[in-house]
């Protein structure tokens, strides 16, 4: 990871000097992660694809404004966050939620002694994430799915680390309750 960060830093420096190939390499390294982040917060594949393109276009246009190439990831995710929330503001009257249909792998997992299939687990997690506020969901996505540190999350979301921790821990408690086996909640 350290070696890769050095490579990204070099690519960023080359891209700021006009190397389109270097920027294309950065895009190929980061586009899946940015797309997955946007997919989890928008819950819409087409929106996530469109936003991903917008994010990298803005990143290309503003790369010279990046003061510290080592801070590329939080800077890029901040652009993604801004683009997603800009779209949400534009669409506020709409309440279109697309169903997610994950593919079955056929493996079996047990929770509380009851068999749970990966598809069911994925659907349960997706549904539980939908019950969180947008701020809580984004905190979970950035920390759990994207692996950012609290300081980086604070930079991406432009709020204090204490706020990030509060959102995340509250969200994790809500998810724990939401995803607890039905029998554990007293219903059989």
């Amino acid at each position: 990871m350290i070696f890769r960060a050095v490579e990204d830093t070099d690519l960023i420096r080359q891209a700021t000097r006009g190397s389109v190939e270097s920027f294309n390499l950065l895009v190929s390294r980061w586009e899946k992660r940015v797309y997955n982040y946007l997919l989890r917060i928008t819950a819409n594949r087409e929106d996530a694809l469109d936003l991903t393109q917008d994010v990298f276009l803005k990143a290309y246009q503003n790369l010279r404004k990046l003061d510290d190439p080592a801070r590329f990831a939080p800077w890029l995710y901040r652009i993604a966050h801004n683009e997603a929330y800009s779209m949400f503001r534009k669409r506020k009257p709409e309440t279109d939620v697309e169903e997610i249909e994950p593919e079955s792998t056929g493996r079996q997992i047990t929770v509380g002694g009851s068999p749970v299939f990966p598809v069911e687990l994925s659907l349960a997690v997706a549904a539980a994430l939908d019950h969180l506020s947008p701020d809580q969901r984004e905190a979970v996505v950035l920390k759990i799915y994207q692996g950012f540190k609290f300081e980086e999350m604070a930079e991406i979301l432009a709020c204090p680390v204490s706020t990030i921790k509060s959102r995340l821990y509250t969200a994790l408690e809500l998810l724990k309750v939401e995803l607890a086996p039905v029998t554990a909640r007293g219903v059989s």
Side-chain angles (χ1 to χ4, degrees):
M1 188 70 174
I2 292 172
F3 181 67
R4 183 177 195 132
V6 171
E7 288 179 10
D8 283 352
T9 303
D10 290 340
L11 290 173
I12 291 163
R13 287 194 180 108
Q14 292 169 13
T16 57
R17 292 185 205 124
S19 172
V20 175
E21 287 180 34
S22 295
F23 187 77
N24 286 340
L25 278 172
L26 283 170
V27 170
S28 67
R29 288 182 179 181
W30 288 94
E31 70 182 333
K32 278 187 180 180
R33 288 182 263 186
V34 170
Y35 169 77
N36 285 329
Y37 163 72
L38 290 166
L39 179 61
R40 291 195 189 282
I41 64 172
T42 64
N44 183 297
R45 288 182 182 100
E46 290 78 21
D47 287 343
L49 283 170
D50 290 345
L51 289 170
T52 300
Q53 289 180 347
D54 294 343
V55 166
F56 284 102
L57 178 61
K58 285 210 172 164
Y60 183 74
Q61 293 169 339
N62 295 294
L63 195 58
R64 284 186 170 85
K65 295 179 184 175
L66 176 62
D67 295 328
D68 181 4
R71 306 295 305 152
F72 179 72
W75 178 78
L76 186 65
Y77 276 80
R78 179 70 192 163
I79 294 171
H81 167 85
N82 289 343
E83 288 297 305
Y85 278 81
S86 177
M87 182 195 73
F88 291 151
R89 280 189 298 278
K90 289 176 188 171
R91 292 187 179 173
K92 196 161 190 156
E94 292 182 25
T95 55
D96 183 33
V97 178
E98 185 177 305
E99 288 186 33
I100 299 172
E101 298 178 23
E103 295 179 19
S104 174
T105 61
R107 292 182 299 153
Q108 189 173 10
I109 300 170
T110 60
V111 175
S114 303
V116 177
F117 294 94
V119 171
E120 294 167 330
L121 188 57
S122 292
L123 290 172
V125 170
L129 284 171
D130 285 344
H131 287 109
L132 299 175
S133 73
D135 289 340
Q136 292 169 334
R137 181 173 45 253
E138 192 167 19
V140 169
V141 170
L142 286 170
K143 185 68 175 168
I144 306 300
Y145 291 99
Q146 300 297 325
F148 279 102
K149 296 175 182 166
F150 287 115
E151 294 77 18
E152 293 170 325
M153 292 169 62
E155 187 176 333
I156 293 166
L157 301 176
C159 60
V161 171
S162 59
T163 302
I164 300 297
K165 287 181 178 181
S166 174
R167 287 178 187 170
L168 180 66
Y169 296 137
T170 301
L172 292 176
E173 284 302 314
L174 292 170
L175 288 173
K176 192 184 308 180
V177 170
E178 187 75 26
L179 293 171
V182 175
T183 53
R185 286 186 261 171
V187 180
S188 49

